[in-house]
Amino acid sequence: MTPKEMLAKLVSFNTESQRSNLDLIHFCRDYLASLGVESRLAPSPDGQKANLYATIGPRRDGGIVLSGHTDVVPVAGQDWTSDPWTLTERDGKLYGRGACDMKGFDALALALVPEMLAAPLERPIHIALSYDEEVGCLGARVMIASMQQEGLKPSAVIVGEPSMMKVVTGHKGGLRMRTAIRGHAVHSSRIDVGVSAVMVAGELIHWHNTTMAENKARTPAGNGFEPPYSTLHVGVVQGGTAVNIAAEHCTFAHEVRCIPGELQEAYAERYRAKLAEVEAGMKAVAPETGIALEITSSTPAMGPETDGAAEALCRRLTGDNGRHVVAYGTEGGLFQGAGWSTVVCGPGDIAQAHQPDEFIAVEQLEAGERFVRGLIADLSR
Ligand SMILES: [Zn+2]
């Protein structure tokens, strides 16, 4: 199968994150088995989804992980010119949901397995395909734990998210949260004996502003990020029923985007401390009031490494010596957290990801093919 044929096959599976990816995973497992390559599946807790990883070449330390996710974002509400689940070529572009983000890279890794086997490789290539990247990098955590348990010790990880084959060494981490406040409803004329959930939310939202202002003041520029500091944001607020009633309920959805070196857990801890202080004041007025915090996702940042093996390898293969950090999150921080040198480098432009009429340029897929061929040559001597 050519990379284009493989991409058409992978796109034909509807693997929106809310659906099972098992049909696609079983296809990959059977395809690899037909080439004599054994796969390991690392299932999700409910068994509806699975990661797949497979080793090509000798079973020894070192070698490379080619990492891709199998899930895609939904097409609902988007206006597509052609069927999103049928790869369609028009004017040098291959259209389909996931063509760019990131079944293109998955297809390259799979389609070139016969060449990896024929090389033959001196050091292994591990293909690692995850589930649920788009909804908080859930699958990669399970897969990395399984790979570590098996004792795999790759010398570098290449996360093939679309970067136009540039070598990306950093991105911010992400912490998403939801705060639900229960107040004590009274007529607003007697707010002295009530607790307005909306007004409590206001105080907590303000904490986001002051924390971000502190970050801005103390973080030096020049780390490549725009803006260079960790940002906080509240995106949705819901609460209250009338202007003259102290609101009983208010909820809001919020996030922190952390620069490398800052931990999202630390922000969660600081926020919890603020909640405890505010909650104590609420309970002093009415004991049934309270605040509940839900962490909806937490994905670590990926930071530039000192003398990183993955960076050196990808710079050698692509000739890219520029400095690139990106605004989107990836599974890279999780691989790095496992102690494995990691960069993001893959075909396609992130501008096309998640869009209606998502596409990957044929020329990008070909650039990715040359890159993987170069990698095979590199690992064969
Ligand atoms: Zn992606």
Side-chain angles (χ1 to χ4, degrees):
M1 242 188 267
T2 66
K4 204 190 283 185
E5 288 163 349
M6 181 61 79
L7 179 55
K9 185 72 192 170
L10 297 182
V11 166
S12 74
F13 296 100
N14 178 341
T15 52
E16 291 177 349
S17 305
Q18 77 276 17
R19 299 168 63 108
S20 170
N21 73 339
L22 288 178
D23 288 347
L24 181 150
I25 289 293
H26 292 160
F27 161 77
C28 295
R29 179 194 61 192
D30 296 346
Y31 163 79
L32 290 169
S34 76
L35 300 171
V37 175
E38 188 200 332
S39 307
R40 278 86 82 208
L41 301 193
S44 61
D46 67 1
Q48 295 302 303
K49 296 170 184 174
N51 304 289
L52 175 151
Y53 60 97
T55 300
I56 297 107
R59 287 200 144 261
R60 48 179 279 198
D61 291 354
I64 305 299
V65 175
L66 298 180
S67 151
H69 61 81
T70 62
D71 61 320
V72 297
V73 296
V75 296
Q78 295 187 339
D79 198 9
W80 281 72
T81 306
S82 53
D83 176 25
W85 314 111
T86 305
L87 191 72
T88 308
E89 186 167 353
R90 296 193 294 272
D91 305 324
K93 295 167 182 165
L94 299 164
Y95 291 86
R97 171 55 86 225
C100 174
D101 184 14
M102 58 175 290
K103 289 177 172 174
F105 187 77
D106 300 346
L108 287 171
L110 290 166
L112 291 172
V113 167
E115 293 185 28
M116 296 173 194
L117 292 167
L121 298 173
E122 290 285 319
R123 283 160 290 152
I125 291 179
H126 309 280
I127 294 178
L129 304 176
S130 66
Y131 66 84
D132 277 357
E133 189 273 345
E134 299 287 3
V135 290
C137 297
L138 307 180
R141 296 165 210 264
V142 175
M143 179 167 65
I144 291 167
S146 179
M147 293 168 86
Q148 285 183 302
Q149 209 165 22
E150 213 173 290
L152 300 188
K153 291 192 177 63
S155 54
V157 178
I158 300 167
V159 178
E161 290 279 0
S163 74
M164 295 295 278
M165 300 311 301
K166 298 278 182 257
V167 182
V168 170
T169 55
H171 61 70
K172 289 183 181 179
L175 173 70
R176 289 192 175 171
M177 298 172 281
R178 203 179 135 77
T179 295
I181 301 154
R182 178 162 179 210
H184 178 59
V186 293
H187 191 276
S188 61
S189 62
R190 289 306 312 273
I191 188 63
D192 58 313
V193 292
V195 176
S196 162
V198 167
M199 292 176 78
V200 169
E203 187 176 350
L204 296 175
I205 290 168
H206 184 60
W207 177 88
H208 291 70
N209 288 322
T210 52
T211 305
M212 182 155 62
E214 284 166 21
N215 289 349
K216 186 177 176 179
R218 72 181 164 78
T219 312
N223 60 8
F225 289 103
E226 206 59 84
Y229 51 90
S230 297
T231 57
L232 293 88
H233 182 250
V234 180
V236 182
V237 185
Q238 287 160 317
T241 50
V243 69
N244 60 353
I245 301 172
E248 185 158 359
H249 297 286
C250 188
T251 61
F252 59 94
H254 46 132
E255 63 165 24
V256 183
R257 292 176 185 260
C258 294
I259 56 174
E262 293 191 1
L263 295 174
Q264 54 267 53
E265 290 81 6
Y267 279 94
E269 278 320 300
R270 283 173 63 190
Y271 183 61
R272 278 202 183 87
K274 175 71 182 172
L275 291 187
E277 173 198 318
V278 171
E279 196 175 42
M282 294 163 69
K283 285 190 184 299
V285 179
E288 80 274 20
T289 60
I291 308 172
L293 173 67
E294 185 192 351
I295 306 279
T296 49
S297 79
S298 177
T299 310
M302 184 180 87
E305 301 163 6
T306 314
D307 300 323
E311 181 181 343
L313 171 73
C314 290
R315 290 204 186 286
R316 199 162 72 238
L317 291 175
T318 61
D320 173 30
N321 286 311
R323 183 166 173 230
H324 311 283
V325 297
V326 291
Y328 55 90
T330 77
E331 296 169 339
L334 292 166
F335 282 105
Q336 212 170 42
W340 301 341
S341 176
T342 304
V343 292
V344 171
C345 184
D349 188 340
I350 196 70
Q352 270 88 52
H354 303 196
Q355 300 300 312
D357 287 343
E358 174 179 350
F359 69 83
I360 186 167
V362 172
E363 163 274 311
Q364 274 296 301
L365 200 62
E366 288 168 354
E369 194 173 349
R370 287 194 294 277
F371 173 78
V372 179
R373 288 222 169 91
L375 185 67
I376 294 170
D378 203 79
L379 294 169
S380 303
R381 52 174 178 255

